[in-house]
Amino acid sequence: MTAEIPAPTTVSAPSARPQPTLVVRTIAIDDLPDGPAALIDLLPDARPLSWVRRGEGIVGWGEALRLETYGPGRFADAEAAWQEALARAVVRDEVHVPGAGPVAFGSFAFDDVVGADGDARPCGVLIVPRVVVGRRGTTTWLTTIDATGSLSHSPGTHLLDPDGRTPVSSPGEVVEHPGALGTEDWAAVVQEATRRIRDGEVDKVVLARDVVTTAERPVDARWLLANLAQNYPSCWTFSVDGLAGATPELLVRSEKGLVTSRVLAGTIRRAAPLPDDGPDPAVFLASSSKDLEEHEYAVRSVADALEPFCSSMNVPDAPFVLHLPNVLHLASDVTGVLGHTVAEENSEGRTPSSLALAAALHPSAAVCGTPTTAAREMIREIEGMDRGRYAGPVGWLGADGDGEWGIALRCAEISHADPRTVRLFAGCGIVAASDSRAELVESEAKLEPVRSALRGIWNHP
């Protein structure tokens, strides 16, 4: 099947190069098998596109159009290029649910600076697939997108034929190597951050680390996705342009004027050692002053960023404890109704798209720190690595602007140059009361989902 898919049209935005006419057709199909990985199991090649949670969402393959953006304008340029593509699209949608019709999967860098190697690589990408399959409740659909402008084809269920799929293979033995910083060096960076926090430079900073793995055979992203979806069904299992993971954190969902953001900050391992006769981990986390302080910063940054766009908002007074197989998080769901505030001031008179909201929210205190500008400068100065797209927005955007964007956490980047090489990431929020050893333990827990997925280990609680 994949050999029959033509090469994509790539456009660097903004660009004077004319974009192709997209012909988009969506039809309803019979319901798919149940299971958290049912959609992922349909993917026919090793360059999948995915946004799936609890067996619902969308997956895609092939590339009808690729929109690459650079620098500080990466979000606005991507939005403009997407609108240009839609203006030339011919759409026949028989389903009319979120995710049907034209969609673009996207991934954006955490920062907008050129990498340490000086390469002017893209800071953002939107990929319009040639085939999309989606499920929402009892509704399932198939979308085909043709970039040639041809009206001669229509979607066919032959695209879902298992005989057309390249088999998924195990990566074999996986060997792990230190990343940009070894564990001792990273712990020293955490100590430096806590010192500077106590000196008043910032209130909170989020520091990340990486490890690099080398597999015996090329890593098929579908192998990672299927294992992550099975192990972490309550997370959003994503894959865009070689970045794959299962994030527990929803940066923003926009649907018919309603917006939601799930904020996570404050973490403890499920099996964390506690004082003798102490509370269970969930109670310990919910009463931890250090974690509650970290969480408060993250919630406030999200609420402040969304407020200009909303006529009303609901910000919870206290977080709940989110239980995942490897860790527990303090979590809050911030919700709002898009209103006639900043939204009516844009030149086109449209309400802000989900991508525009994601741009306004990024980076939140959950992945950067407080105050944001000072925390980002500290990250650039002391973290010691290039995050790339780790902790940046990842998700999808529809023709009406609605969509879902997560934060690229619990993820790994498969090398384009050598698909046996995979880079894993983890980050921790640092405040004045942080302990470098405890933060190292937390980072190890956050690396566990992708480590296990690479090795095919199931971690059902």
Side-chain angles (χ1 to χ4, degrees), residues 110-122:
F110 173 82
D111 213 341
D112 54 30
V113 298
V114 175
D117 56 6
D119 289 340
R121 63 184 179 279

Side-chain angles (χ1 to χ4, degrees), residues 4 10 36 41 72 86 89 128 131 176 222 226 267 277 294 338 349 353 369 389 402 411 430 433 453:
E4 300 174 356
T10 301
D41 289 342
L86 291 174
V128 181
V131 181
E176 189 169 302
R222 296 173 298 170
T267 304
D277 300 321
E294 180 187 342
L338 291 178
S353 70
R389 291 178 290 156
D402 285 352
C411 64
I430 311 301

